[in-house]
Amino acid sequence: MEAIILAAGYSSRANAFKMTLPMGQMTVLEQTISKFEGLCSRVIVIGGFQAEIIQEEVMKINEKNAYSFQIKFVFNENFNQGMFSSIQKGCIAVNDSPIFITPGDCPMVKKETVQRLAEEEGNMVIPSFKFKGGHPIKISNEVKQQILKTNPKSNLRVVLNRFEKKYVNVDDRGVIMDIDTPNDYQKAIDYYKALLSH
């Protein structure tokens, strides 16, 4: 298994470059990456806007030698076309299936959730919290091929609607938490501290 982490966006509402914001001993991006330890052979991080910041962050994480997988940085020169172009770029870079896909700003997912998704069969496995779908999603090779065939100006939903979705209900609010605004970041930090104190 491999994972694609999308980190090419503009962070426009966060008033800061959200991927490198601190969260505990790590950055937001590393928190997201760390959830795939022991499950994936490789993690592909897709950068675009301010790609050199993401590339530097990936180098720093790799230098720690804290993970059993290789973390590879891939630049999406078409990042201004939107997230789907980054997903396609990631699908070109992966060798292995199934594949996890997640935005880099979803650091609050529990590792047990990712483990559980890894064990589920299906073309498309989506975690859901209180019946709301979240991230990371897991896709099969068949879905990957379809993503690669689709017009770059399209979006992931169009592709996913062609396949049967398998929702896995999890007791993990982290699957629906992302960091788009300073307020989201504060909520994520509070949530993270609460998890640690349990």
Side-chain angles (χ1 to χ4, degrees), residues 17-24 26-35 57 61 103-108 179 185 188-189:
F17 200 67
K18 60 188 176 185
M19 297 297 165
T20 52
L21 288 170
M23 181 161 282
M26 304 180 191
T27 56
V28 165
L29 181 61
E30 187 177 355
Q31 284 284 2
T32 304
I33 288 172
S34 70
K35 305 303 189 291
E57 178 61 20
I61 298 169
D105 66 344
C106 294
M108 310 295 3
I179 297 173
Y185 176 56
I189 290 289

Side-chain angles (χ1 to χ4, degrees), residues 170-186:
V170 290
D171 184 19
D172 180 1
R173 196 168 61 131
V175 301
I176 56 168
M177 292 177 80
D178 57 6
I179 297 173
D180 282 331
T181 64
N183 190 26
D184 291 342
Y185 176 56
Q186 192 49 55

Side-chain angles (χ1 to χ4, degrees), residues 109-129:
V109 175
K110 292 176 185 164
K111 203 159 166 229
E112 304 85 89
T113 298
V114 184
Q115 177 80 50
R116 188 152 165 225
L117 297 173
E119 290 160 3
E120 294 284 341
E121 295 290 319
N123 269 325
M124 196 182 345
V125 181
I126 303 171
S128 106
F129 178 73

